[in-house]
Amino acid sequence: MNAQNYIFGKINTEDGLELTDATVINIRTNERVFSNSDGHFMISGRTGDELRFVKAGYERVNKKVNEDNLSSSMQITLIKAATLIDEVEIKKGITGDLAIDAKNLNEQKKVQKLKNELALYISRKSDPRILAAKGGEFVQPKGEGFSVGKVKNKWDDVDLMKYLISALGEQYFIDLKIEKAYIQHFIYYVFAGGFERKNILKYGFCSDADLMRFQRAILVRISSYRAPQTQR
């Protein structure tokens, strides 16, 4: 009953899509693995162990290992995390006049979100084919040009740190045995370990791929961080 075995399984979304790079944690041993491109995973364990399945943007799932899981594949379904929609406060009745109704509705948060999205869109590079000269058009000869000064990044490390805590959740770091008071310190420690973030800071945008790179960087740096932490 206590023999060490390997547990195999597959992780899907509620729509039946295979989930790549979902984290699988054996709570007893603290061993961590990632699901592959087909959603499959393999982790050592035994009957009675508890496995935790974590993926950014999905509800966390815990699963107890029983004898059936050791003889057949474990099937796990992760459900998309619910996203709260900001409530719109209606101060006055709808008149049908767009100019008047726009002033009466509390659109401050939506307008700010739209501005942020527009700023992100403008900051991205355009496809060279769109900007290329068409036949017969005058093209300005290339020269040395002139300097307009250094372009300021959209984010700094503090902005990125806050985003990572928001995207992954404090519980993600607590599960890694990082005390709540040291979460920010640990993130800066990962940054200092060579985590590439130049484009993230430049455009103020962290993609899912960047988030997965950061999670991998965590697994590389966690052991060296814990050593001095246990001495505190």
Side-chain angles (χ1 to χ4, degrees):
M1 292 290 291
N2 293 324
Q4 192 78 7
N5 295 281
Y6 284 97
I7 302 158
F8 299 85
K10 185 174 183 180
I11 306 173
N12 291 320
T13 67
E14 55 190 321
D15 299 322
L17 301 177
E18 297 150 344
L19 266 180
T20 304
D21 282 324
T23 306
V24 184
I25 308 168
N26 186 322
I27 302 300
R28 177 179 62 86
T29 64
N30 204 33
E31 180 184 358
R32 296 159 189 272
V33 299
F34 292 97
S35 58
N36 66 10
S37 58
D38 296 323
H40 292 99
F41 69 90
M42 179 183 75
I43 191 169
S44 58
R46 65 191 185 197
T47 302
D49 283 354
E50 184 176 1
L51 302 184
R52 178 169 294 165
F53 302 86
V54 181
K55 172 78 172 176
Y58 292 83
E59 298 287 351
R60 186 175 59 186
V61 170
N62 285 19
K63 179 82 172 179
K64 280 280 189 181
V65 177
N66 55 40
E67 292 185 19
D68 291 338
N69 302 139
L70 300 178
S71 58
S72 60
S73 178
M74 181 182 287
Q75 300 298 314
I76 301 297
T77 300
L78 295 188
I79 300 173
K80 279 267 190 183
T83 302
L84 296 178
I85 301 175
D86 292 335
E87 185 176 317
V88 176
E89 178 186 353
I90 299 180
K91 298 179 180 179
K92 298 181 181 180
I94 301 298
T95 67
D97 186 315
L98 182 61
I100 296 175
D101 292 339
K103 294 179 180 179
N104 292 339
L105 295 179
N106 180 15
E107 294 286 343
Q108 184 177 358
K109 291 183 179 179
K110 289 188 176 181
V111 170
Q112 186 58 48
K113 181 181 178 182
L114 178 59
K115 288 181 178 178
N116 292 339
E117 290 175 349
L118 285 173
L120 176 61
Y121 175 80
I122 293 171
S123 67
R124 289 178 176 172
K125 293 182 178 179
S126 300
D127 190 324
R129 292 171 296 179
I130 297 176
L131 300 178
K134 298 179 176 61
E137 288 185 343
F138 172 77
V139 179
Q140 176 68 34
K142 291 185 178 180
E144 295 182 0
F146 57 93
S147 174
V148 294
K150 184 178 180 181
V151 177
K152 185 178 179 182
N153 289 339
K154 295 292 182 181
W155 279 0
D156 57 21
D157 280 345
V158 175
D159 295 319
L160 178 56
M161 176 269 295
K162 290 180 179 179
Y163 173 83
L164 292 171
I165 294 176
S166 173
L168 296 174
E170 290 184 342
Q171 189 61 44
Y172 175 84
F173 296 93
I174 293 172
D175 290 340
L176 291 171
K177 312 300 182 187
I178 302 296
E179 296 178 26
K180 185 175 180 179
Y182 289 101
I183 291 176
Q184 294 185 12
H185 182 270
F186 173 65
I187 291 175
Y188 288 133
Y189 181 76
V190 176
F191 287 172
F195 177 69
E196 176 55 46
R197 57 195 185 280
K198 180 179 178 182
N199 285 336
I200 299 176
L201 300 181
K202 180 178 179 181
Y203 298 114
F205 177 74
C206 182
S207 67
D208 289 342
D210 292 324
L211 198 60
M212 285 189 287
R213 281 197 308 108
F214 180 74
Q215 289 177 281
R216 291 193 182 97
I218 284 177
L219 297 180
V220 172
R221 298 284 283 169
I222 187 71
S223 297
S224 59
Y225 183 80
R226 281 180 182 156
Q229 187 182 38
T230 55
Q231 299 172 5
R232 287 197 286 268

